[in-house]
Structure formats: structure tokens, C-alpha cells
Amino acid sequence: MKIGALPLAGLTKITPTRLGDHRGYFSEVFKDGWFRENVADVTFVQENESLSATVGIIRGLHFQLDPFAQGKLVRCLAGRIFDVAVDIRLGSPSYGQWYGCELSNENGEQLWIPTGFAHGFATLVPDCVISYKVTAPYSAVSDRGLFWNDPEIGIEWPVPVDSVVLSDKDKVQPKLADLPPSFKY
């Protein structure tokens, strides 16, 4: 596996090695010991999968508060997504900054998003299947969000923002300036 540090402290891009021939490929996409030694010493307790059927769906930006704060290891099993993490750790030198990258089955890349970040993605093609391991179970009481298109953050979504498809919940999330303190750096 290849590992790459990213501009926001704590985020990590992981690219599993693929061994291929005329039949296809084989890849070890997760190894607990390797992950603990090279990325973060965490335990994953749940794995989630979502299907987004059309282009331009944006899911997020989501996070959970303690004691159910989640680190996420995200990968795209089918399709192509633009995956985004926003630093919401008070006192962080990169507070309010974002990082985005394309995840797809073709590139095989994964994004590790530790606690203290809001997470979301946009679908770039139809029928995107996303899988992500999390370090805490879902908790409706701890579930929070950040407005997906806050101009203060300035995410450069690679989809036409006037035609995105959002959940009712994601349409009304607070902007960064209105977000209560959630995490400390």
C-alpha cells in the first residue's frame, strides 16, 4: 500500500497495490496492523455503503460529536466521486480549510478522515457506490452537519452547483460561522 500525507494535518490518502493480469486484479484494500502502524491506531466498528443514483448528488458535509465522533476510511466501489473533508477543529492551523480528491474504482484510492473533520462527496457519474469504515457507530443524537456550499469555506465542487441534489437535512445545515464548537485541535 502507498500512503500520502495531505495538506490538512491528519488526512491521509491510501492507494492499495493491485496485482493484475489478463483476468483483472487482486488487491488487499485494508490491513488492520498496517493501518494502525502507518495511519492511525483506531478500531473500526461499522462499515457503511451508499448508492447515489445520479450525477450531481452531494451528501454532506457530515460529522458526529463525541462520544460518537467518527473517523472514516472512504473508498468508491463503483463510479467516481469528489470526496471532501473540512477541518472543523478549533485551534487548528487549517481550521475551515478543505481538501478534495477524486475517488473511483479505477484509481483505487481511499481517504482517511479522522475525527474533527466534516465529510461529504459529490457524484461525478451515475450509480456511485461508496463504502466507508467508521470508528464509532451512527448516533442520531450526535449527528451534525455543515452547509455544503458555505462561501467562507469555498469548496470548488466539480458539479454545477445550481442543479445539485441534496437531502432536506443537507439543505439547512449551519455555515461555519454559525457552527457551535465541536472539536479542539
Side-chain angles (χ1 to χ4, degrees):
M1 289 193 211
K2 296 177 191 170
I3 187 167
L6 299 172
L8 305 184
L11 292 181
T12 306
K13 187 182 287 185
I14 301 162
T15 308
T17 302
R18 289 182 172 174
L19 305 172
D21 60 22
H22 65 281
R23 302 167 297 162
Y25 70 83
F26 171 83
S27 182
E28 292 179 338
V29 297
F30 178 78
K31 292 171 76 170
D32 183 69
W34 182 92
F35 192 89
R36 288 176 186 274
E37 184 176 320
N38 294 283
V39 181
D41 188 12
V42 296
T43 300
F44 292 104
V45 299
Q46 183 173 312
E47 187 165 357
N48 304 318
E49 183 175 298
S50 70
L51 166 68
S52 295
T54 62
V55 174
I57 291 174
I58 292 182
R59 293 183 187 252
L61 302 160
H62 302 146
F63 62 96
Q64 288 190 172
L65 299 175
D66 282 330
F68 296 100
Q70 294 178 324
K72 297 178 181 178
L73 181 60
V74 184
R75 67 188 187 120
C76 183
L77 302 177
R80 289 184 10 247
I81 63 170
F82 183 68
D83 206 52
V84 174
V86 178
D87 189 346
I88 56 172
R89 302 169 295 177
L90 286 179
S92 168
S94 58
Y95 178 80
Q97 295 178 25
W98 65 278
Y99 173 81
C101 65
E102 186 174 303
L103 300 180
S104 68
N105 182 47
E106 288 77 24
N107 70 24
E109 295 174 346
Q110 301 176 44
L111 186 61
W112 162 245
I113 304 166
T115 60
F117 287 81
H119 170 253
F121 64 85
T123 57
L124 303 176
V125 297
D127 298 323
C128 293
V129 178
I130 296 83
S131 175
Y132 51 103
K133 296 179 183 327
V134 294
T135 59
Y138 174 73
S139 167
V141 173
S142 299
D143 188 28
R144 297 291 186 278
L146 182 62
F147 188 61
W148 69 277
N149 204 24
D150 184 343
E152 183 180 343
I153 299 169
I155 297 170
E156 296 172 13
W157 295 103
V159 295
V161 295
D162 57 343
S163 61
V164 300
V165 180
L166 299 165
S167 70
D168 289 341
K169 176 178 93 170
D170 290 342
K171 290 177 185 177
V172 296
Q173 296 290 4
K175 292 183 177 180
L176 185 64
D178 302 320
L179 188 69
S182 305
F183 301 96
K184 288 188 178 184
Y185 182 69

